[in-house]
Amino acid sequence: MISLHEVSKSYSSGEGIFKAVESVSLTIREGSIHGIIGPSGAGKSTLLRMMNVLEPPDSGKVIVGGQDLTRLPESQLRVARRSMGMVFQQFHLLHNRTVSGNVAVPLELAGMSKRQRKERVEECLQFVGLQDKAKQYPARLSGGQKQRVAIARALAHRPAVLLCDEPTSSLDSVTTGEILNVLRHINETLGVTVVIVTHEMDVVKEICHEVSVVEQGRLTDGFALEERTARNVPRHKPSYRELLLGKAGVSDV
Amino acid sequence: MFDFSLMLEKFMDFRIQIAEAVGETFLMVGISVMAAILLGLPLGTMLYLTAKGQLRENATWSMILNGFVNIVRSFPFLLLVVFMIPFTRFLVGTAIGTIAASVPLAIVSIAIYARQVEQSLFEVPRGVVEAAQSMGASKLKIVYKFLYVEARSGLVLGLTTSTISFISYSTVMGVVGGGGVGDFAIRYGYQRFETELMAAVIVLMIVLVQLIQFTGSLISRWLDKR
């Protein structure tokens, strides 16, 4: 699906050259949920941004759907990016547009007709369970709701991949669970490949099929987590008691 | 302090001249506001885009555009008016009159508003641009579907502040026969020792500026959904 070949990126700062990513090769399997974990400043976000060339690598190749994105001219790169939705830690919604206006933006960019747009926006909002908030402005939403709008926006153009940069890092633990359920649902029902950059161990444990460990700009480890299916994942919303004490906490009551 | 009934009386005596002066001010400021929107907005956008670390980072263009804006703004305005006479004559055929006076005023307006635009755009979080890029938006679309949308209340407030400066600048236009309220207040009020008339015109200008600021703030607040 996505493969990075020996990608490197360095920045020159005042005191010399900082190597953010150093010759990393990585393949994301189609249909998987792939976690990229590591401490802050390890280069995980840079790595993720290389996958849609928001961050052009200094060297190496970025192969998505059989084409090397680093060699594409800008106009074709823009088209290629439309098949890859992106979700951010700080949501990056347009605060001066309504929820449905935000979800419509990528469709407007693609030149979709107004009627089709309306239909697709409704579908996407329904998918993340926010159809009742369509006419509201993002300022009135909670963090979790904002992130769901951002996810609906990223899905609008029916992407094959969803790139998530710390999607739950500014959310509380319960909301994190909700967002992870949405991402898992997207992966299972729409077959969208999901790449998640995070520093939270629990996020990886909860939904990732495969994980890559990034430390100091290098890929230091990579392995598959035990096979997960929809069945062994708790579907109900866990209480704070459960989250803090585990299952034992529930039976204590 | 002032005899208000006398002020009103003087005001009524000169209402025709005052109306004419107000018309001239509106014409000069109106042309300037148009210039600010049509040319200042793109110029400010270019200042933003060519700055370091931005979408069209370009040190040469950044220097040229910043140089232009700084030079225009560092001129004492009266000297700019005089300095620009040849250009004004070339552009509108004469250097005297309200339309001719609008030329230097428009040039200053473009520079002033461009700076306000640049500042408003810098206030848009970087992430918005990144999100736009991730959606495959072209640079032009990033500007008007993302940056202008998020910066719109700042753009309106900036235009309000600028418009009030334009009114202030327009008051010296008597030197090239531009007329206007300021010129009227100086010639009829100050130079002919009609202090009450001058005060009445100042009150008129205060009301005018208040109205502009009130309207601008109202629109800006209405546009701001953040």
Side-chain angles (χ1 to χ4, degrees), chain A residues 45-56:
Chain A
S45 287
T46 308
L47 203 57
L48 189 79
R49 280 166 172 67
M50 283 180 180
M51 293 182 188
N52 61 358
V53 202
L54 275 184
E55 198 77 75

Side-chain angles (χ1 to χ4, degrees), chain B residues 1-2 7 11 18 167 171 181-182 184-186 189-190 194-210:
Chain B
M1 187 172 71
F2 283 112
M7 267 169 72
F11 191 85
I18 290 174
I167 292 178
T171 55
V181 185
F184 175 84
I186 290 172
Y190 177 65
E194 303 255 25
T195 310
E196 280 77 17
L197 182 60
M198 187 176 77
V201 173
I202 290 170
V203 170
L204 176 72
M205 292 194 77
I206 291 172
V207 171
L208 186 67
V209 168
Q210 296 285 352

Side-chain angles (χ1 to χ4, degrees), chain B residues 36-52:
Chain B
I37 294 171
L38 294 177
L39 297 170
L41 182 64
L43 176 60
T45 309
M46 288 307 291
L47 280 171
Y48 167 83
L49 290 176
T50 56
K52 197 170 162 50

Side-chain angles (χ1 to χ4, degrees), chain B residues 22-32 98-99 102:
Chain B
V22 168
E24 286 159 357
T25 296
F26 277 5
L27 183 61
M28 287 188 285
V29 174
I31 290 173
S32 303
T98 309
I99 298 287
S102 302

